[in-house]
Amino acid sequence: MKRYCLALDLKDDPQLIAEYEHWHKTENSWPEIRKSILDAEIQDMQIYRTGNRLFMIMETSDLYEAKKKEQMDALNPKVQEWEKLMWIFQQPLPWAKEGEKWVIMEQIFQL
């Protein structure tokens, strides 16, 4: 099993943040998005928020490949629709590379 921690910012607007959280509640999420996550060998995913900063913990099987997930998403119209919707609320971190949304965090401590 592998663990990835990623960060992304939301636009600093309380109404947009509330709407973003609305779409991430179980009853409002899209089943196709959940399926695409599981199909990519992602076994658990959690998103936390403080202010407008998001923090994602993603646990995957050893078969997970980021490039493969990226290719799968590019070919999935529902994922593309979801990403377009989410981009209304999201903004890249100041140090993100061009076109990068979620940025992988570097582990700097472990107990």
Side-chain angles (χ1 to χ4, degrees):
M1 180 178 295
K2 300 175 191 174
R3 177 180 292 149
Y4 300 86
C5 297
L6 303 101
L8 175 67
D9 282 347
L10 294 173
K11 294 176 182 169
D12 198 7
D13 177 315
Q15 184 175 341
L16 289 176
I17 291 171
E19 191 173 344
Y20 183 85
E21 288 187 358
H22 163 84
W23 286 113
H24 285 80
K25 290 182 180 175
T26 301
E27 64 270 19
N28 301 322
S29 64
W30 297 1
E32 300 92 346
I33 302 308
R34 180 179 176 83
K35 182 178 182 330
S36 75
I37 291 168
L38 293 170
D39 287 350
E41 298 293 334
I42 298 169
Q43 298 174 334
D44 188 38
M45 180 182 284
Q46 301 171 27
I47 300 175
Y48 297 84
R49 181 182 68 80
T50 181
N52 69 317
R53 176 75 35 97
L54 298 175
F55 170 66
M56 179 194 298
I57 301 171
M58 191 171 77
E59 293 184 345
T60 72
S61 80
D62 291 334
L63 300 174
Y64 172 78
E65 296 177 26
K67 288 286 186 196
K68 184 176 178 184
K69 170 74 169 127
E70 188 178 311
Q71 293 169 346
M72 290 168 58
D73 289 350
L75 297 172
N76 186 325
K78 204 65 174 176
V79 170
Q80 292 304 307
E81 183 181 350
W82 175 261
E83 289 299 327
K84 184 177 178 183
L85 174 62
M86 291 304 104
W87 199 238
I88 293 169
F89 314 106
Q90 300 167 334
Q91 63 183 5
L93 294 171
W95 52 87
K97 297 174 188 155
E98 181 69 30
E100 186 176 37
K101 289 177 85 170
W102 288 96
V103 175
I104 293 180
M105 300 175 76
E106 179 183 346
Q107 181 180 358
I108 62 166
F109 174 81
Q110 182 172 349
L111 186 61

